[in-house]
Amino acid sequence: MVVYGAGIGVHTPLKGRDLGSDHRAYNRVLTGMRAVGERANAVLTQRWMALRHVSLSPSRLGGIVVGALVLTTLERGTR
């Protein structure tokens, strides 16, 4: 299945009312994966005030987010 429009490596849900079961399953998987990322983003921005309004370049921000994620994981423990 080829999906165009969002860029290379970016998956978008398929639109339409009468989707087949395989397309509905594809959309459910994408929704589940997106929910994990959104939850992680919410936890990091609630815990680390410095990540709420960031004006750094994405290349510099990556290291800060990795550090915050490691500290948050150590603080909360693994589940």
Side-chain angles (χ1 to χ4, degrees):
M1 171 183 321
V2 178
V3 180
Y4 298 101
I8 297 172
V10 177
H11 298 275
T12 58
L14 301 170
K15 299 188 185 334
R17 290 185 180 258
D18 300 324
L19 296 176
S21 61
D22 57 338
H23 294 301
R24 286 194 310 268
Y26 175 79
N27 285 348
R28 278 193 300 270
V29 168
L30 284 179
T31 300
M33 291 187 323
R34 187 181 70 230
V36 172
E38 288 177 358
R39 177 68 183 139
N41 185 42
V43 167
L44 287 175
T45 54
Q46 287 174 5
R47 174 65 181 92
W48 303 97
M49 189 180 293
L51 296 177
R52 290 184 188 162
H53 302 287
V54 178
S55 60
L56 295 174
S57 69
S59 61
R60 295 187 68 194
L61 182 61
I64 295 170
V65 171
V66 168
L69 185 58
V70 168
L71 291 173
T72 301
T73 302
L74 291 172
E75 179 181 78
R76 294 177 60 146
T78 56
R79 295 183 196 192

Coordinates of all heavy atoms in Angstrom, one line a residue:
M1 N 0.8 -1.2 0.0 CA 0.0 0.0 0.0 C 0.9 1.2 0.0 O 1.8 1.4 0.8 CB -0.9 0.0 1.2 CG -1.6 1.2 1.5 SD -2.6 1.2 3.0 CE -3.2 -0.4 3.1
V2 N 0.6 2.1 -0.9 CA 1.4 3.4 -1.0 C 0.5 4.5 -0.6 O -0.6 4.7 -1.1 CB 2.0 3.6 -2.4 CG1 2.7 4.9 -2.5 CG2 2.8 2.4 -2.8
V3 N 1.0 5.3 0.3 CA 0.3 6.5 0.8 C 1.1 7.7 0.4 O 2.2 7.8 0.8 CB 0.0 6.4 2.3 CG1 -0.8 7.7 2.8 CG2 -0.7 5.2 2.6
Y4 N 0.5 8.7 -0.3 CA 1.2 9.9 -0.7 C 0.7 11.1 0.1 O -0.4 11.1 0.6 CB 0.9 10.1 -2.2 CG 1.4 9.0 -3.1 CD1 0.5 8.1 -3.6 CD2 2.8 8.9 -3.4 CE1 1.0 7.1 -4.4 CE2 3.2 7.9 -4.2 CZ 2.3 7.0 -4.7 OH 2.8 6.0 -5.5
G5 N 1.5 12.1 0.1 CA 1.1 13.4 0.7 C 1.7 13.9 1.9 O 1.9 15.0 2.2
A6 N 2.1 13.0 2.8 CA 2.7 13.4 4.1 C 4.2 13.4 4.1 O 4.8 13.9 5.0 CB 2.2 12.5 5.2
G7 N 4.8 12.7 3.1 CA 6.3 12.7 3.1 C 6.8 11.2 3.3 O 6.0 10.4 3.7
I8 N 8.0 11.0 3.0 CA 8.6 9.7 3.1 C 8.6 9.3 4.6 O 9.1 10.0 5.4 CB 10.0 9.7 2.5 CG1 9.9 10.0 1.0 CG2 10.7 8.4 2.7 CD1 11.3 10.2 0.4
G9 N 8.1 8.1 4.8 CA 8.2 7.5 6.2 C 7.1 8.0 7.1 O 7.0 7.5 8.2
V10 N 6.2 8.9 6.7 CA 5.1 9.4 7.5 C 3.8 8.7 7.0 O 3.4 8.7 5.9 CB 4.9 10.9 7.4 CG1 3.7 11.4 8.1 CG2 6.2 11.6 7.8
H11 N 3.2 8.0 7.9 CA 2.0 7.2 7.6 C 0.8 8.1 8.0 O 0.7 8.6 9.1 CB 1.9 5.9 8.3 CG 3.1 5.0 7.9 ND1 3.0 4.2 6.7 CD2 4.3 4.8 8.4 CE1 4.1 3.6 6.6 NE2 4.9 3.9 7.6
T12 N -0.2 8.1 7.2 CA -1.5 8.9 7.5 C -2.6 7.9 7.4 O -2.6 6.9 6.6 CB -1.7 10.0 6.5 OG1 -1.7 9.5 5.2 CG2 -0.6 11.1 6.6
P13 N -3.7 8.1 8.1 CA -4.9 7.3 8.1 C -5.5 7.4 6.7 O -5.5 8.4 6.1 CB -5.8 7.7 9.2 CG -5.1 8.9 9.8 CD -3.8 9.2 9.2
L14 N -6.2 6.3 6.3 CA -6.9 6.3 5.0 C -8.3 6.9 5.3 O -8.9 6.6 6.3 CB -7.0 4.9 4.5 CG -5.7 4.2 4.2 CD1 -5.9 2.8 3.9 CD2 -5.0 4.9 3.1
K15 N -8.8 7.7 4.4 CA -10.1 8.4 4.6 C -11.2 7.7 3.8 O -10.9 7.1 2.8 CB -9.9 9.8 4.2 CG -8.9 10.6 5.1 CD -8.9 12.0 4.8 CE -7.9 12.8 5.5 NZ -7.3 12.4 6.7
G16 N -12.4 7.9 4.2 CA -13.5 7.4 3.5 C -14.5 6.7 4.4 O -14.1 6.3 5.5
R17 N -15.7 6.6 4.0 CA -16.8 6.0 4.8 C -16.8 4.5 4.7 O -17.1 3.7 5.6 CB -18.1 6.5 4.4 CG -18.3 8.0 4.8 CD -19.7 8.4 4.5 NE -19.9 9.8 4.9 CZ -20.5 10.2 6.0 NH1 -21.0 9.3 6.8 NH2 -20.6 11.5 6.3
D18 N -16.6 4.0 3.5 CA -16.8 2.5 3.2 C -15.4 1.8 3.0 O -15.1 1.3 2.0 CB -17.7 2.3 2.0 CG -19.0 2.9 2.1 OD1 -19.6 2.9 3.3 OD2 -19.6 3.4 1.1
L19 N -14.6 1.9 4.1 CA -13.3 1.2 4.0 C -13.5 -0.3 4.3 O -14.3 -0.7 5.1 CB -12.4 1.8 5.1 CG -12.0 3.3 4.9 CD1 -11.2 3.8 6.0 CD2 -11.3 3.5 3.6
G20 N -12.6 -1.0 3.6 CA -12.6 -2.5 3.8 C -12.0 -2.8 5.2 O -11.4 -1.9 5.9
S21 N -12.1 -4.0 5.6 CA -11.6 -4.4 6.9 C -10.1 -4.2 7.1 O -9.6 -3.9 8.1 CB -12.0 -5.9 7.2 OG -11.4 -6.7 6.3
D22 N -9.3 -4.4 6.0 CA -7.9 -4.2 6.0 C -7.5 -2.8 6.2 O -6.6 -2.4 7.0 CB -7.2 -4.8 4.8 CG -7.7 -4.3 3.5 OD1 -8.9 -3.7 3.5 OD2 -7.0 -4.4 2.5
H23 N -8.3 -1.9 5.6 CA -8.0 -0.5 5.7 C -8.4 0.0 7.1 O -7.7 0.9 7.7 CB -8.7 0.4 4.7 CG -8.2 0.1 3.3 ND1 -6.9 0.3 2.9 CD2 -8.8 -0.4 2.2 CE1 -6.7 0.0 1.7 NE2 -7.9 -0.4 1.2
R24 N -9.5 -0.5 7.7 CA -9.9 -0.1 9.0 C -8.9 -0.6 10.0 O -8.5 0.1 11.0 CB -11.3 -0.7 9.4 CG -12.4 0.0 8.7 CD -13.8 -0.3 9.2 NE -14.0 -1.7 9.4 CZ -14.6 -2.5 8.5 NH1 -15.0 -2.0 7.3 NH2 -14.8 -3.8 8.7
A25 N -8.3 -1.8 9.8 CA -7.3 -2.3 10.7 C -6.0 -1.5 10.6 O -5.4 -1.2 11.7 CB -7.0 -3.8 10.4
Y26 N -5.7 -1.1 9.4 CA -4.5 -0.2 9.2 C -4.7 1.1 10.0 O -3.8 1.6 10.7 CB -4.4 0.1 7.7 CG -3.3 1.1 7.4 CD1 -2.0 0.7 7.3 CD2 -3.6 2.4 7.1 CE1 -1.0 1.6 7.0 CE2 -2.6 3.3 6.7 CZ -1.3 2.9 6.7 OH -0.3 3.8 6.4
N27 N -5.9 1.7 9.9 CA -6.2 3.0 10.7 C -6.1 2.7 12.2 O -5.6 3.6 12.9 CB -7.5 3.5 10.3 CG -7.5 4.2 8.9 OD1 -6.4 4.4 8.3 ND2 -8.7 4.5 8.4
R28 N -6.6 1.6 12.7 CA -6.5 1.3 14.1 C -5.1 1.2 14.6 O -4.8 1.7 15.7 CB -7.3 0.0 14.4 CG -8.8 0.3 14.6 CD -9.5 -0.9 15.2 NE -9.4 -2.1 14.4 CZ -10.1 -2.6 13.5 NH1 -11.2 -1.8 13.1 NH2 -9.9 -3.7 12.8
V29 N -4.3 0.5 13.8 CA -2.9 0.4 14.2 C -2.2 1.8 14.2 O -1.4 2.1 15.2 CB -2.1 -0.6 13.2 CG1 -0.6 -0.5 13.4 CG2 -2.6 -2.0 13.4
L30 N -2.4 2.6 13.2 CA -1.9 3.9 13.2 C -2.3 4.7 14.5 O -1.6 5.5 15.1 CB -2.2 4.7 12.0 CG -1.5 4.3 10.7 CD1 -1.9 5.1 9.5 CD2 0.0 4.5 10.9
T31 N -3.6 4.6 14.8 CA -4.1 5.3 15.9 C -3.5 4.9 17.2 O -3.1 5.7 18.1 CB -5.7 5.1 16.0 OG1 -6.3 5.6 14.8 CG2 -6.3 5.8 17.2
G32 N -3.3 3.6 17.4 CA -2.6 3.0 18.5 C -1.2 3.5 18.7 O -0.7 3.9 19.8
M33 N -0.5 3.5 17.6 CA 0.9 4.0 17.6 C 1.0 5.5 17.9 O 1.8 6.0 18.7 CB 1.6 3.7 16.3 CG 1.9 2.3 16.0 SD 2.9 1.8 14.6 CE 2.4 3.0 13.4
R34 N 0.1 6.3 17.3 CA 0.1 7.7 17.6 C -0.3 8.0 19.1 O 0.3 8.9 19.7 CB -0.9 8.4 16.7 CG -0.9 9.9 16.8 CD -1.9 10.6 15.9 NE -3.2 10.4 16.4 CZ -4.2 9.9 15.7 NH1 -4.1 9.6 14.4 NH2 -5.4 9.8 16.3
A35 N -1.1 7.2 19.7 CA -1.5 7.4 21.0 C -0.4 7.3 22.0 O -0.2 8.0 23.0 CB -2.7 6.5 21.4
V36 N 0.5 6.3 21.7 CA 1.7 6.1 22.6 C 2.6 7.3 22.5 O 3.1 7.8 23.5 CB 2.5 4.8 22.1 CG1 3.8 4.7 22.8 CG2 1.6 3.6 22.4
G37 N 2.8 7.8 21.3 CA 3.7 9.0 21.1 C 3.1 10.3 21.7 O 3.8 11.1 22.4
E38 N 1.8 10.4 21.6 CA 1.1 11.6 22.2 C 1.1 11.5 23.7 O 1.3 12.6 24.4 CB -0.3 11.7 21.7 CG -0.4 12.1 20.3 CD -1.9 12.1 19.8 OE1 -2.8 11.8 20.5 OE2 -2.0 12.5 18.6
R39 N 1.0 10.3 24.3 CA 1.1 10.2 25.7 C 2.5 10.5 26.3 O 2.6 11.2 27.3 CB 0.7 8.8 26.1 CG 0.8 8.5 27.6 CD -0.2 9.3 28.4 NE 0.0 9.0 29.8 CZ -0.1 9.9 30.8 NH1 -0.4 11.2 30.5 NH2 0.1 9.6 32.0
A40 N 3.5 10.0 25.5 CA 4.9 10.3 25.9 C 5.1 11.8 25.9 O 5.8 12.4 26.8 CB 5.8 9.6 25.0
N41 N 4.6 12.5 24.8 CA 4.8 13.9 24.7 C 4.1 14.7 25.9 O 4.6 15.6 26.4 CB 4.3 14.4 23.4 CG 4.5 15.9 23.2 OD1 5.6 16.4 23.5 ND2 3.5 16.6 22.6
A42 N 2.9 14.2 26.2 CA 2.2 14.8 27.3 C 2.9 14.7 28.6 O 3.0 15.6 29.4 CB 0.8 14.2 27.4
V43 N 3.4 13.5 28.9 CA 4.2 13.3 30.2 C 5.4 14.2 30.2 O 5.7 14.8 31.3 CB 4.5 11.8 30.3 CG1 5.5 11.6 31.4 CG2 3.3 10.9 30.5
L44 N 6.1 14.2 29.1 CA 7.4 15.0 29.1 C 7.1 16.5 29.3 O 7.7 17.2 30.1 CB 8.2 14.8 27.9 CG 8.9 13.5 27.8 CD1 9.5 13.3 26.4 CD2 9.9 13.3 28.9
T45 N 6.0 17.0 28.6 CA 5.8 18.5 28.7 C 5.1 18.9 30.0 O 5.3 20.0 30.5 CB 4.9 18.9 27.5 OG1 3.7 18.2 27.5 CG2 5.6 18.9 26.2
Q46 N 4.4 17.9 30.7 CA 3.9 18.2 32.0 C 5.0 18.2 33.0 O 5.0 19.0 34.0 CB 2.8 17.2 32.4 CG 1.5 17.4 31.6 CD 0.5 16.3 31.9 OE1 0.8 15.4 32.7 NE2 -0.6 16.3 31.2
R47 N 5.9 17.3 32.9 CA 6.9 17.1 33.9 C 8.1 18.1 33.8 O 8.6 18.6 34.8 CB 7.5 15.7 33.8 CG 8.7 15.4 34.7 CD 8.4 15.5 36.2 NE 9.5 15.2 37.0 CZ 10.3 16.2 37.5 NH1 10.1 17.4 37.2 NH2 11.3 15.9 38.3
W48 N 8.4 18.5 32.5 CA 9.5 19.4 32.3 C 9.1 20.7 31.7 O 8.8 20.7 30.5 CB 10.5 18.7 31.3 CG 11.0 17.4 31.9 CD1 10.6 16.1 31.6 CD2 12.0 17.2 32.9 NE1 11.2 15.2 32.4 CE2 12.1 15.8 33.2 CE3 12.9 18.1 33.6 CZ2 13.0 15.3 34.1 CZ3 13.8 17.6 34.5 CH2 13.8 16.2 34.8
M49 N 9.0 21.7 32.5 CA 8.4 23.0 32.0 C 9.3 23.5 30.9 O 8.7 24.2 30.0 CB 8.4 24.0 33.2 CG 7.7 25.3 32.9 SD 7.7 26.4 34.2 CE 6.7 25.6 35.4
A50 N 10.5 23.2 30.8 CA 11.4 23.8 29.8 C 11.0 23.2 28.4 O 11.4 23.8 27.4 CB 12.9 23.4 30.1
L51 N 10.3 22.2 28.3 CA 9.9 21.6 27.0 C 8.5 22.1 26.5 O 8.1 21.8 25.5 CB 9.8 20.1 27.1 CG 11.1 19.3 27.4 CD1 10.9 17.9 27.5 CD2 12.1 19.6 26.3
R52 N 7.9 23.0 27.3 CA 6.6 23.5 26.9 C 6.7 24.5 25.7 O 5.9 24.5 24.8 CB 5.9 24.1 28.1 CG 5.4 23.1 29.1 CD 4.7 23.7 30.2 NE 4.4 22.6 31.2 CZ 4.1 22.8 32.4 NH1 3.9 24.1 32.8 NH2 4.0 21.8 33.3
H53 N 7.6 25.5 25.8 CA 7.7 26.5 24.8 C 9.2 26.5 24.4 O 10.0 27.2 24.9 CB 7.3 27.9 25.3 CG 5.9 27.9 25.8 ND1 4.8 27.9 25.0 CD2 5.4 27.9 27.1 CE1 3.7 27.9 25.7 NE2 4.1 27.9 27.0
V54 N 9.5 25.7 23.4 CA 10.9 25.6 22.9 C 11.1 26.3 21.6 O 10.3 26.2 20.7 CB 11.2 24.1 22.8 CG1 12.6 23.9 22.3 CG2 11.0 23.4 24.1
S55 N 12.2 27.0 21.5 CA 12.5 27.7 20.3 C 13.9 27.3 19.7 O 14.5 28.0 19.0 CB 12.5 29.2 20.5 OG 13.4 29.6 21.5
L56 N 14.3 26.1 20.1 CA 15.6 25.5 19.6 C 15.4 24.8 18.3 O 14.3 24.4 17.9 CB 16.2 24.5 20.6 CG 16.6 25.1 22.0 CD1 17.0 23.9 22.9 CD2 17.7 26.1 21.8
S57 N 16.5 24.6 17.6 CA 16.4 23.8 16.4 C 16.2 22.4 16.8 O 16.6 21.9 17.8 CB 17.7 23.9 15.6 OG 18.8 23.3 16.3
P58 N 15.5 21.6 15.9 CA 15.3 20.2 16.2 C 16.5 19.4 16.5 O 16.5 18.5 17.3 CB 14.5 19.7 15.0 CG 13.9 20.9 14.4 CD 14.9 22.0 14.7
S59 N 17.6 19.7 15.9 CA 18.9 18.9 16.1 C 19.4 19.2 17.5 O 19.9 18.2 18.1 CB 19.9 19.3 15.1 OG 20.2 20.7 15.2
R60 N 19.2 20.3 18.1 CA 19.7 20.6 19.4 C 18.7 20.1 20.5 O 19.0 19.8 21.6 CB 19.9 22.1 19.6 CG 21.1 22.6 18.7 CD 21.4 24.0 19.0 NE 22.0 24.1 20.4 CZ 22.2 25.2 21.0 NH1 21.8 26.3 20.4 NH2 22.7 25.2 22.2
L61 N 17.4 20.2 20.1 CA 16.3 19.8 21.0 C 16.4 18.3 21.3 O 16.0 17.9 22.4 CB 15.0 20.2 20.4 CG 13.8 19.9 21.3 CD1 13.9 20.7 22.6 CD2 12.5 20.3 20.6
G62 N 16.8 17.5 20.3 CA 16.8 16.0 20.5 C 17.5 15.6 21.7 O 17.0 14.7 22.5
G63 N 18.7 16.1 22.0 CA 19.5 15.7 23.2 C 18.8 16.1 24.5 O 18.8 15.3 25.4
I64 N 18.1 17.2 24.5 CA 17.4 17.6 25.7 C 16.2 16.7 26.0 O 16.0 16.3 27.1 CB 17.0 19.1 25.6 CG1 18.2 20.0 25.5 CG2 16.0 19.5 26.7 CD1 17.9 21.4 25.1
V65 N 15.5 16.4 24.9 CA 14.4 15.5 25.1 C 14.8 14.1 25.5 O 14.2 13.4 26.4 CB 13.5 15.4 23.8 CG1 12.5 14.3 23.8 CG2 12.9 16.7 23.5
V66 N 15.9 13.6 25.0 CA 16.4 12.3 25.4 C 16.8 12.3 26.9 O 16.5 11.4 27.6 CB 17.6 11.9 24.5 CG1 18.4 10.7 25.1 CG2 17.2 11.6 23.1
G67 N 17.5 13.3 27.3 CA 17.8 13.5 28.7 C 16.6 13.5 29.6 O 16.5 12.9 30.6
A68 N 15.6 14.3 29.2 CA 14.3 14.4 30.0 C 13.6 13.0 30.0 O 13.1 12.6 31.0 CB 13.4 15.4 29.4
L69 N 13.7 12.3 28.9 CA 13.0 11.0 28.9 C 13.7 10.0 29.8 O 13.1 9.2 30.5 CB 13.0 10.5 27.4 CG 12.3 9.2 27.2 CD1 10.8 9.3 27.6 CD2 12.4 8.8 25.7
V70 N 15.0 10.0 29.8 CA 15.8 9.1 30.7 C 15.5 9.5 32.1 O 15.2 8.6 32.9 CB 17.3 9.2 30.4 CG1 18.1 8.5 31.5 CG2 17.6 8.6 29.0
L71 N 15.5 10.7 32.5 CA 15.3 11.1 33.9 C 13.8 10.8 34.3 O 13.6 10.3 35.4 CB 15.5 12.6 34.1 CG 17.0 13.0 34.0 CD1 17.1 14.5 34.0 CD2 17.8 12.4 35.1
T72 N 12.9 11.0 33.4 CA 11.5 10.6 33.7 C 11.3 9.1 33.9 O 10.6 8.7 34.8 CB 10.6 11.1 32.5 OG1 10.7 12.6 32.4 CG2 9.1 10.8 32.8
T73 N 12.0 8.3 33.0 CA 11.9 6.9 33.1 C 12.5 6.4 34.5 O 11.9 5.6 35.1 CB 12.6 6.2 32.0 OG1 12.0 6.7 30.7 CG2 12.5 4.7 32.0
L74 N 13.6 7.0 34.8 CA 14.3 6.6 36.1 C 13.4 7.0 37.3 O 13.3 6.3 38.3 CB 15.6 7.3 36.2 CG 16.7 6.7 35.3 CD1 18.0 7.6 35.4 CD2 17.0 5.3 35.6
E75 N 12.7 8.2 37.2 CA 11.9 8.7 38.3 C 10.6 7.8 38.4 O 10.2 7.5 39.5 CB 11.5 10.1 38.0 CG 10.6 10.7 39.0 CD 10.3 12.1 38.6 OE1 9.4 12.3 37.8 OE2 10.9 13.1 39.2
R76 N 10.0 7.5 37.3 CA 8.7 6.8 37.3 C 8.9 5.3 37.4 O 8.0 4.6 37.8 CB 7.9 7.1 36.1 CG 7.4 8.5 36.0 CD 6.7 8.8 34.7 NE 5.6 7.9 34.6 CZ 4.4 8.2 34.1 NH1 4.3 9.4 33.5 NH2 3.4 7.3 34.0
G77 N 10.1 4.8 37.0 CA 10.3 3.4 36.9 C 9.7 2.8 35.6 O 8.9 3.4 34.9
T78 N 10.0 1.6 35.3 CA 9.5 1.0 34.1 C 8.2 0.2 34.4 O 8.1 -0.4 35.5 CB 10.5 0.0 33.4 OG1 10.9 -0.9 34.4 CG2 11.7 0.8 33.0
R79 N 7.3 0.2 33.5 CA 6.0 -0.5 33.8 C 5.8 -1.5 32.7 O 6.1 -1.4 31.6 CB 4.9 0.5 33.7 CG 5.0 1.5 34.9 CD 3.8 2.3 34.8 NE 4.0 3.5 35.7 CZ 3.1 4.3 36.0 NH1 1.9 4.2 35.7 NH2 3.4 5.4 36.8

